[in-house]
Amino acid sequence: MMTLKQLEAFYWAATSANFTVAGERLNVSQSSLSKRIRELEEQFGRELFDRSGHKAILTEYGRTLLPLARKFLESADEMCAVMTDDATLRGDCRFGVGEFSSLTWLPEFVARARIQFPNLLLAPTVDIGAEMQQHLEDGVLDFAIIAGSSSRESVACEPLVDLRFHWGGHPSLLGSQRNLTAALLRKVAMITMPDGAGAARMVQEWLTTSDLQAAQRLTCNSLAAITGLVIAGIGISVFPENWLRNLEGKGLLARIECDPALPIQHYYFHWRRGDNRLVIRKTRELARQVVNFNVPITLLRSLSLT
């Protein structure tokens, strides 16, 4: 008789980058995962995966089964929700956020999720947007909250909040200069996140629109590290509004005006298209309530800078 575990094994194997990732999502070995899929194939008398190549791919029967298996698993979620309550959400929930998210709203999000869903094990990852989108596509992450929408067919997204950025630099580096000009960009280094980050894409869009370019450009994958470099007078960078406001108030950074203003960053809840599991719906609902970049910045508070 077909079991829920067999269908779960098939679903994750079919929607993950490989069987290894699928096994990790279900906390089973690859051999156990393969065994469950084989049992399902024996019951149907059909091969669900073509294993003749370097990577197992869905057969025609596997492609037919996938939407049916997805609906079955969603129905199982609904059954638990109706017959008990939302606290029945269980297992691992792996999600991704950017560094600024991790320093503002993330602690409250995790705290509230633990109260609402005590049997759900949350595992946040801090990364840049491009990497998180790839991990979503591969099945490594359940969802991610990223600046910008997704152009990937396999990833769906829903807008959450907006965030404004400003240029900033150390007062001693800028002197009396408080406007971003071509002359300033020839004089000082620009420090940005790597190209796959939303803030880096925003900077590049602004440079192109303004017909400007940086003579020196350094990259770093940590906003905290970039802040330290800018405070040390190494160069200038863009900062979230309240992050810059706190440091500006302490005399550690000075705002640099620019015309046009930097475009507003729109943050979205991203998940794999077609994944309508209860855990996705409930965490998306919680994100709508909690995501707020104007809350106190935990790193600055711990350093007594706020």
Side-chain angles (χ1 to χ4, degrees):
M1 181 179 293
M2 180 179 61
T3 67
L4 183 61
K5 288 184 177 180
Q6 290 169 349
L7 281 176
E8 285 178 331
F10 166 75
Y11 171 79
W12 284 106
T15 59
S16 299
N18 50 56
F19 279 24
T20 300
V21 172
E24 290 174 353
R25 294 312 312 268
L26 294 173
N27 294 313
V28 299
S29 65
Q30 187 174 335
S31 60
S32 296
L33 182 90
S34 297
K35 181 175 180 292
R36 292 177 186 179
I37 295 172
R38 286 290 190 190
E39 290 171 347
L40 198 58
E41 289 176 321
E42 289 172 3
Q43 291 184 57
F44 291 143
R46 308 287 188 184
E47 285 196 347
L48 302 174
F49 288 92
D50 180 353
R51 300 170 177 82
S52 60
H54 179 69
K55 177 183 176 182
I57 59 175
L58 286 172
T59 63
E60 180 181 350
Y61 295 109
R63 291 192 296 272
T64 299
L65 178 62
L66 180 56
L68 301 175
R70 181 183 286 119
K71 288 180 181 178
F72 187 96
L73 295 175
E74 290 170 7
S75 296
D77 274 350
E78 294 289 353
M79 190 183 304
C80 289
V82 170
M83 298 305 295
T84 55
D85 53 46
D86 288 340
T88 56
L89 287 181
R90 62 183 66 250
D92 295 342
C93 180
R94 305 181 185 187
F95 65 100
V97 298
E99 186 178 9
F100 194 50
S101 297
S102 74
L103 297 172
T104 50
W105 54 263
L106 178 63
E108 182 184 356
F109 179 87
V110 174
R112 288 178 61 171
R114 291 184 67 184
I115 293 172
Q116 291 185 37
F117 319 118
N119 296 319
L120 188 65
L121 180 60
L122 294 168
T125 295
V126 180
D127 210 334
I128 62 175
E131 292 297 322
M132 288 189 280
Q133 288 205 40
Q134 186 60 54
H135 290 326
L136 271 176
E137 200 167 56
D138 291 344
V140 175
L141 296 177
D142 290 297
F143 70 88
I145 295 176
I146 308 172
S149 59
S150 177
S151 60
R152 301 181 185 227
E153 288 187 11
S154 62
V155 177
C157 58
E158 177 182 291
L160 288 175
V161 296
D162 296 337
L163 180 62
R164 182 170 290 283
F165 282 72
H166 298 281
W167 290 98
H170 193 269
S172 65
L173 177 68
L174 300 174
S176 60
Q177 181 69 47
R178 291 295 185 273
N179 292 292
L180 191 59
T181 62
L184 181 62
L185 287 176
R186 288 193 297 268
K187 175 184 175 183
V188 303
M190 177 186 294
I191 309 173
T192 70
M193 297 286 283
D195 289 342
R201 295 195 303 272
M202 173 191 64
V203 168
Q204 188 54 56
E205 177 185 333
W206 183 87
L207 288 171
T208 301
T209 301
S210 304
D211 195 24
L212 293 171
Q213 59 181 350
Q216 307 173 58
R217 190 162 180 174
L218 309 176
T219 60
C220 178
N221 66 352
S222 166
L223 178 59
I226 288 175
T227 303
L229 292 171
V230 176
I231 289 174
I234 305 301
I236 63 173
S237 189
V238 295
F239 299 94
E241 190 166 49
N242 58 325
W243 181 282
L244 178 60
R245 185 186 304 116
N246 278 284
L247 293 171
E248 192 176 19
K250 298 296 180 180
L252 296 172
L253 288 179
R255 181 176 302 195
I256 307 170
E257 301 298 335
C258 64
D259 185 19
L262 288 166
I264 292 175
Q265 286 284 78
H266 307 287
Y267 279 77
Y268 291 76
F269 185 100
H270 293 69
W271 73 101
R272 291 195 298 171
R273 192 175 301 280
D275 186 355
N276 295 316
R277 291 174 297 146
L278 189 61
V279 66
I280 298 298
R281 301 202 302 273
K282 289 299 181 181
T283 51
R284 187 167 65 235
E285 181 180 314
L286 181 59
R288 294 191 201 106
Q289 301 169 13
V290 172
V291 174
N292 176 10
F293 289 100
N294 293 319
V295 300
I297 302 166
T298 54
L299 175 63
L300 296 182
R301 188 167 64 244
S302 68
L303 294 176
S304 300
L305 294 177
T306 58

